Amino acid sequence: METIPYDKRSGKIWINSELVDWKNAKVHVLNHGLHYASCVFEGERVYDGEIFKLEEHTSRLFYSAKRMGIKIPYTEKEINAACKEIIVIQKVKNGYVRPIVWRGSEMMAISAQKNKIHVAIASWEWGSYFDPKLKLEGIKLNISSWRRPSPNSVPWDTKAAGLYMICTLSKHEAESKGFSDSLMLDHNGNIAEATGANIFFKDKNGTLHTPIPDSFLDGITRRCVIGIAKSKGIKVVERKITTEEMTNFKGCFLTGTAAEITPVSEIDKFKFNVCELIKDLSKSYQNIVRKKAAA
Ligand code: PMP
């Protein structure tokens, strides 16, 4: 099925407090966000008409902006209200919300001290990030030839647009070789994350292992899944994980707002089972996002 390009859809987009017709939600080509990645954003999911963990996403948006030296001209409360408003206007029941903040056009060089800060929030109906069939069977990942940058070279704990340059490069490389996604290593060669999701492994004893987020995003889903696992009595170890260790792991899955819980069947030469523990965690996650009693 052909999807309608994102600039050709209908409805409204919230921009700087105004509801703008979707097709007119444009920026000038000379803006600092586009040229110098002066831009931070969020990705949120709507389940049954409610934004899951909205307040946490908005807090992270403000944190990302602060780390980039960007002062958002709204309060967190105002952004929460605007996110809620746009999903009602767009009639989104199960979909996605994309708040985005960028520096405007007042200065067009490296320095952008005087640039106006713009905020937009768009929302649309949306389904699965990965092919739904693969999401059940487990997706295949390659190991990216790109690494996450060292933490002293970028604001690594943010959702800043510039950090996604290597993610798109990695994802394109993976897709061109028939993989769904790519495993990225950190600057020291330890396992970091996928291009838009965190990663967990299950060992032969049913313990979960996940890398310490010390050079990449500590996902809101990651934290939620750690909570679910612990509430079920599953041991979760956050530590450095080497690629060689994948030989001994039995299961693997990704976590993220878009990915939710997505089982992984292969990474490079390493194979994993989509085991009951992963299916059960995924079911519990779905119950929580839809506010049903946890199974
Ligand atoms: N890492 C990256 C690079 C991401 O883009 C995302 C998605 N936001 C995640 C991890 C997972 O974060 P979250 O669970 O907060 O969506």
Side-chain angles (χ1 to χ4, degrees), residues 60 159 164 193 195-198 217 219-222 255-257:
R60 189 168 70 186
K159 257 184 102 67
Y164 285 85
E193 59 169 352
T195 60
N198 295 115
L217 199 69
I220 291 169
T221 320
R222 176 186 181 277
T255 63
T257 299

Side-chain angles (χ1 to χ4, degrees), residues 57-128:
H57 282 283
T58 302
S59 293
R60 189 168 70 186
L61 182 72
F62 277 71
Y63 176 77
S64 298
K66 197 167 166 225
R67 281 274 267 158
M68 294 279 290
I70 292 173
K71 187 169 176 342
I72 298 177
Y74 295 97
T75 61
E76 291 193 28
K77 225 172 132 194
E78 286 166 335
I79 295 299
N80 287 335
C83 289
K84 286 182 185 165
E85 184 189 357
I86 203 67
I87 67 161
V88 172
I89 285 166
Q90 286 299 103
K91 299 189 180 61
V92 173
K93 285 277 169 268
N94 290 286
Y96 194 73
V97 186
R98 168 55 57 88
I100 181 155
V101 178
W102 70 98
R103 285 192 173 108
S105 308
E106 287 72 12
M107 294 172 75
M108 264 309 281
I110 308 295
S111 179
Q113 305 282 7
K114 298 203 174 104
N115 290 35
K116 182 177 166 188
I117 305 304
H118 298 265
V119 184
I121 309 168
S123 182
W124 57 90
E125 278 290 316
W126 198 52
S128 186

Side-chain angles (χ1 to χ4, degrees), residues 192-251:
E193 59 169 352
T195 60
N198 295 115
I199 193 160
F200 286 76
F201 296 95
K202 191 201 82 167
D203 71 15
K204 65 177 189 325
N205 301 317
T207 297
L208 296 179
H209 302 257
T210 190
I212 303 163
D214 57 3
S215 65
F216 57 88
L217 199 69
D218 180 8
I220 291 169
T221 320
R222 176 186 181 277
R223 295 200 293 262
C224 179
V225 169
I226 290 175
I228 298 172
K230 287 188 175 165
S231 76
K232 288 174 181 285
I234 299 166
K235 205 172 150 203
V236 184
V237 189
E238 296 180 59
R239 63 177 180 84
K240 297 274 170 209
I241 303 172
T242 65
T243 51
E244 297 76 48
E245 284 186 74
M246 286 196 282
T247 317
N248 299 321
F249 291 134
K250 304 292 172 206

